[in-house]
Amino acid sequence: MSALKIRKGDKVVVLSGKDKGKHGEVTRSFPKDGKVIVSGVNVATRHKKPTQANPQGGLERREAPMHVSKVAIEDPKTGKPTRVRFETGKDGKKIRVAVRSGEQIKGAGNG
């Protein structure tokens, strides 16, 4: 898998699945697997046995990774899903731009 256009810290919208339409922030990115973890989305429940560290045990809720094709960057202007385009800035650096509005995407590694 090549480099992802979605990075840690980006605001994204879920496009498909049980959490379709939800908004969240990318907390972790796995470029080799093509997956991301989005806060508050795709929450999996695990049953944990009691241990010395956690004598109570019980249910543990945690965000599971989801494929990057199921999420899209949130447009900075409208909050709707958009694709990402790369443009060259005045200083010669690559900047990420929202295709829908033409706004620069603020976030990790950008402005």
Side-chain angles (χ1 to χ4, degrees):
M1 187 88 201
S2 61
L4 302 178
K5 292 185 177 182
I6 295 175
R7 302 182 188 145
K8 179 179 173 180
D10 286 342
K11 302 262 187 263
V12 294
V13 181
V14 180
L15 300 175
S16 66
K18 64 180 181 188
D19 294 315
K20 180 178 179 174
K22 284 190 180 177
H23 296 249
E25 188 175 321
V26 176
T27 54
R28 233 173 131 199
S29 171
F30 304 97
K32 278 188 179 171
D33 304 329
K35 296 189 177 204
V36 290
I37 294 180
V38 182
S39 62
V41 175
N42 198 27
V43 178
T45 306
R46 296 277 175 262
H47 296 262
K48 291 290 182 184
K49 276 186 170 179
T51 59
Q52 281 191 323
N54 181 13
Q56 185 64 37
L59 299 176
E60 181 187 276
R61 288 175 175 80
R62 200 170 27 184
E63 288 106 3
M66 61 192 313
H67 200 268
V68 74
S69 66
K70 287 180 172 266
V71 297
I73 295 263
E74 191 179 286
D75 193 301
K77 242 183 196 171
T78 61
K80 293 182 177 178
T82 182
R83 296 189 313 278
V84 177
R85 177 174 62 228
F86 286 95
E87 290 180 2
T88 310
K90 292 179 179 71
D91 54 359
K93 288 187 177 177
K94 281 200 312 186
I95 56 169
R96 294 183 305 158
V97 176
V99 172
R100 189 182 277 255
S101 66
E103 275 306 281
Q104 181 176 338
I105 296 168
K106 305 273 189 236
N110 247 10

